[in-house]
Amino acid sequence: MPTIAIFGAGPGLGRSVAEKFGREGYTVALVARNKDKLEKLAKELRREGITAHAIPGDLMASAEIGKLATHIRETAGDPDVIYYAPTSPDMTFVPAAELTPEAIEANTTLLLTTFAALVSEFLPHMVAQKSGAILTAQGTTALQGTPRMSGPGPAMAAQRNYLQALQKELAPSNVFVGRLYISALIEHSAIHQSLQAAGKSVPSIGLASPDKLAEKLWAMQKKGRPHEAAAPAAGKALARLWRLPPFRSS
């Protein structure tokens, strides 16, 4: 049975990705900091007939990634698919002129340093079996700098550069590298839930269905194309600008 490791597993897209791949026969390894929330999510997935493991891990502790990788292997085996989309309460949008070195370092650690360390741990397994996938879902500020919305964008752009190079290097190995860039608030996500709890309205960017986004990620890695896509309909302008295929729900 193949395994997917979901890094940054949460109630929005992470859960939908777990459900989609789990229904397709994958064992699911859920990785995030909050042990109680992970256990709750794992139990809910098991009630749906999905084999799921809760594996607590701090993705900001890049020096401890070797230990985390060992824990994942011992619990669920080497992942055949990596889905990496963690967030942090400190990951906030700020004007570029106010971006501090500390914020840059923290965002880069979470979005690039730890990610690259995990890829280094699990990529040899994928290359050896000549199959596998590395998937991410990030905001569209990775594609274009936006006034007053700096912060994670520069680190996401660096991650994109890394993955573009990795994609070309891995082409002979049949390991897929897929990137989904989202220009909307994800329904049921932690941010969406916090807005609802505070009685605040959804931002003008609108909501995206996590189930539809998960279907898109599944289809990308299943077909081996496209390697990049913008989502949802609000991403069409950026898709045209960057020549990315826009997401369609049909």
Side-chain angles (χ1 to χ4, degrees), residues 141-223:
T141 56
L143 306 178
Q144 181 176 357
T146 304
R148 295 174 295 281
M149 291 188 67
S150 190
M156 290 191 296
Q159 182 198 91
R160 182 185 183 226
N161 180 285
Y162 162 71
L163 289 172
Q164 286 174 324
L166 193 64
Q167 167 197 324
K168 294 174 182 177
E169 293 169 5
L170 293 178
S173 303
N174 199 37
V175 176
F176 179 76
V177 179
R179 307 172 292 282
L180 187 60
Y181 295 101
I182 304 166
S183 59
L185 180 64
I186 298 173
E187 192 175 10
H188 309 308
S189 65
I191 297 174
H192 183 214
Q193 290 180 356
S194 67
L195 288 174
Q196 289 180 314
K200 297 181 179 179
S201 60
V202 174
S204 59
I205 56 174
L207 284 173
S209 164
D211 289 344
K212 290 179 179 179
L213 296 174
E215 289 284 351
K216 177 65 175 177
L217 285 163
W218 169 262
M220 289 168 68
Q221 63 87 35
K222 188 71 173 177
K223 297 177 182 177

Side-chain angles (χ1 to χ4, degrees), residues 63-243:
E64 301 297 315
I65 292 306
K67 293 180 182 178
L68 176 60
T70 297
H71 190 184
I72 292 169
R73 287 192 190 95
E74 292 174 348
T75 303
D78 272 292
D80 302 281
V81 176
I82 293 172
Y83 170 71
Y84 194 86
T87 60
S88 165
D90 299 325
M91 191 184 291
T92 56
F93 291 117
V94 297
E98 298 176 11
L99 187 58
T100 65
E102 292 78 13
I104 293 171
E105 182 177 4
N107 289 329
T108 302
T109 295
L110 184 63
L111 295 172
L112 182 59
T113 308
T114 293
F115 185 30
L118 287 164
V119 169
S120 295
E121 286 282 348
F122 297 126
L123 184 57
H125 166 74
M126 298 181 193
V127 171
Q129 66 180 8
K130 297 187 182 300
S131 67
I134 299 167
L135 305 173
T136 65
Q138 305 293 348
T140 47
T141 56
L143 306 178
Q144 181 176 357
T146 304
R148 295 174 295 281
M149 291 188 67
S150 190
M156 290 191 296
Q159 182 198 91
R160 182 185 183 226
N161 180 285
Y162 162 71
L163 289 172
Q164 286 174 324
L166 193 64
Q167 167 197 324
K168 294 174 182 177
E169 293 169 5
L170 293 178
S173 303
N174 199 37
V175 176
F176 179 76
V177 179
R179 307 172 292 282
L180 187 60
Y181 295 101
I182 304 166
S183 59
L185 180 64
I186 298 173
E187 192 175 10
H188 309 308
S189 65
I191 297 174
H192 183 214
Q193 290 180 356
S194 67
L195 288 174
Q196 289 180 314
K200 297 181 179 179
S201 60
V202 174
S204 59
I205 56 174
L207 284 173
S209 164
D211 289 344
K212 290 179 179 179
L213 296 174
E215 289 284 351
K216 177 65 175 177
L217 285 163
W218 169 262
M220 289 168 68
Q221 63 87 35
K222 188 71 173 177
K223 297 177 182 177
R225 57 180 171 79
H227 289 278
E228 288 193 335
K236 287 183 179 179
L238 279 174
R240 287 193 295 269
L241 178 64
W242 290 93
R243 293 187 173 87

